[in-house]
Amino acid sequence: MKFPAVKTLLATATFSLAAQASAFEQSRTAECIAPANPGGGWDFTCRSVGNVLTDLGFITGNVQTVNMPGAGGGVAFAHTISKRDDDSALIVAASTATTTRLAQGQFVGMDQEMVRWVGALGADYGVIAVSKDSPFQSLNDMMDALKADPHSVKFGGGSAAGGWDHLKVLIAGRSAGIEKANLPKVKYLAFNGGAEAITQVVGGHLEAFTGDISEAQGFMESGDLKVLAVLSEERLPAPLDAIPTAREQNIDAVAPNWRGFYVPKGVSDEAYQWWVDTMDSVYKSDNWQDVMEKNGLMPFHKTGADFSTFVKGQVDSIKEISTEIGLIK
């Protein structure tokens, strides 16, 4: 595999490209599975990282994004395990939505140990948004309506029912004082990607969207979507700094959605390490930092064994909160 004269850009990387190439030679092309329809967060992750992998010469051909929606990521997870278990040229986009489904046992007969977790390249914070014509002017307005009648607001999101997008609303509702018995009554409709859900909100068919800032940004810029709150510790950097946090509205809801990848369990240790090292370098590159800034991604980077440990811990913690809220027993 030949790498172009981009080595100076990656001088701070933790490995030598030449040494990497001698340990494992990646195929000319690669494939990234986005477990949802075009327009959502997983699709964004595949296409953005794929462009950087090509631009920096890690893949000398192209990185093809393959959209594989279904079961909140379960179709892609099962496909990877059953059909592509030793494919070293395959990466699959994942996020907190993936660990949520795993935590809740929604990938029947499968768990996080059946793939190898490569790394996370940033966090995409959650948002709760409405159409430009919505009567809700703040997150508190919406939560007051839900406290009075948990059926009064119908949400749409890109994760499956009980998934991470759904959980964001329930976490905010719990903090806002919605009675525990009423939390499961809040209406949520699942779509194959955030863009589909937003289209329903903009069209007046749903009252609210729950998802991530990267999914909402284009609709915000067009003026079709009004974000009531971002679920982050503090306001996001410009140009997104006008969006209030839930915490500013006295609702302690923080919901970072990491963006990252897994690869098949059966790939060689050398191939796995190639992907780990490559994602380290992608994250440190100016190219990726520019993508993060333009799309509201916040710093969040873990790879290899550190990331695998993190994933296991997140699965355990989401299982705990899902049980507390009553989504699982």
Side-chain angles (χ1 to χ4, degrees):
M1 179 178 181
K2 296 181 180 178
F3 296 99
V6 70
K7 297 179 184 177
T8 54
L9 181 67
L10 302 172
T12 59
T14 59
F15 68 101
S16 159
L17 295 179
Q20 181 194 42
S22 64
F24 172 76
E25 185 174 342
Q26 184 58 275
S27 62
R28 183 177 183 276
T29 60
E31 181 179 316
C32 183
I33 293 178
N37 286 335
W42 285 326
D43 184 71
F44 159 80
T45 303
C46 273
R47 295 183 191 278
S48 299
V49 171
N51 287 338
V52 175
L53 286 170
T54 300
D55 290 345
L56 296 185
F58 289 107
I59 302 295
T60 57
N62 60 64
V63 180
Q64 180 184 8
T65 294
V66 176
N67 295 94
M68 192 177 291
V75 170
F77 201 86
H79 172 80
T80 302
I81 293 169
S82 63
K83 305 292 186 183
R84 311 286 291 276
D85 190 51
D86 60 353
D87 190 343
S88 61
L90 174 68
I91 53 174
V92 185
S95 63
T96 307
T98 311
T99 47
T100 299
R101 299 291 283 171
L102 287 165
Q104 296 172 348
Q106 298 297 325
F107 295 174
V108 179
M110 297 177 284
D111 60 43
Q112 73 271 12
E113 300 297 331
M114 293 182 174
V115 297
R116 302 186 79 170
W117 299 90
V118 174
L121 302 179
D124 192 6
Y125 280 93
V127 294
I128 295 175
V130 294
S131 71
K132 62 181 180 181
D133 301 320
S134 172
F136 297 122
Q137 299 300 312
S138 70
L139 186 59
N140 281 308
D141 288 346
M142 177 181 285
M143 291 299 153
D144 287 343
L146 288 169
K147 282 187 278 188
D149 178 6
H151 298 108
S152 61
V153 182
K154 188 180 294 182
F155 294 85
S159 75
W164 185 235
D165 288 339
H166 190 181
L167 273 179
K168 292 168 190 170
V169 175
L170 301 182
I171 291 169
R174 181 180 61 172
S175 176
I178 296 176
E179 293 183 10
K180 185 175 180 180
N182 285 334
L183 286 172
K185 299 177 183 178
V186 175
K187 293 183 177 181
Y188 173 86
L189 293 180
F191 295 86
N192 283 322
E196 285 188 23
I198 293 174
T199 300
Q200 294 297 308
V201 174
V202 171
H205 306 293
L206 296 174
E207 286 77 31
F209 167 70
T210 168
D212 296 315
I213 187 65
S214 67
E215 297 171 315
Q217 192 168 1
F219 294 88
M220 291 167 49
E221 292 169 353
S222 68
D224 293 314
L225 201 66
K226 177 171 57 178
V227 178
L228 300 181
V230 58
L231 308 183
S232 56
E233 292 89 347
E234 54 189 33
R235 291 202 181 198
L236 301 181
L240 301 170
D241 54 343
I243 306 171
T245 67
R247 281 184 170 178
E248 289 176 50
Q249 301 171 68
N250 297 315
I251 296 173
D252 189 13
V254 176
N257 186 10
W258 55 262
R259 297 289 177 188
F261 300 94
Y262 61 82
V263 295
K265 179 79 169 181
V267 302
S268 68
D269 290 343
E270 292 80 11
Y272 173 70
Q273 193 60 45
W274 188 92
W275 279 114
V276 169
D277 292 341
T278 297
M279 290 304 174
D280 279 336
S281 285
V282 166
Y283 185 80
K284 294 173 182 178
S285 71
D286 291 341
N287 304 53
W288 183 248
Q289 292 301 313
D290 185 54
V291 169
M292 289 179 63
E293 182 178 349
K294 289 180 178 177
N295 291 278
L297 285 178
M298 302 301 290
F300 186 90
H301 182 54
K302 295 178 184 292
T303 54
D306 185 32
F307 184 51
S308 299
T309 299
F310 167 81
V311 166
K312 183 181 184 305
Q314 189 173 64
V315 167
D316 290 343
S317 64
I318 292 175
K319 185 180 298 183
E320 181 180 349
I321 192 171
S322 296
T323 303
E324 178 186 340
I325 290 174
L327 289 174
I328 59 175
K329 295 181 179 180

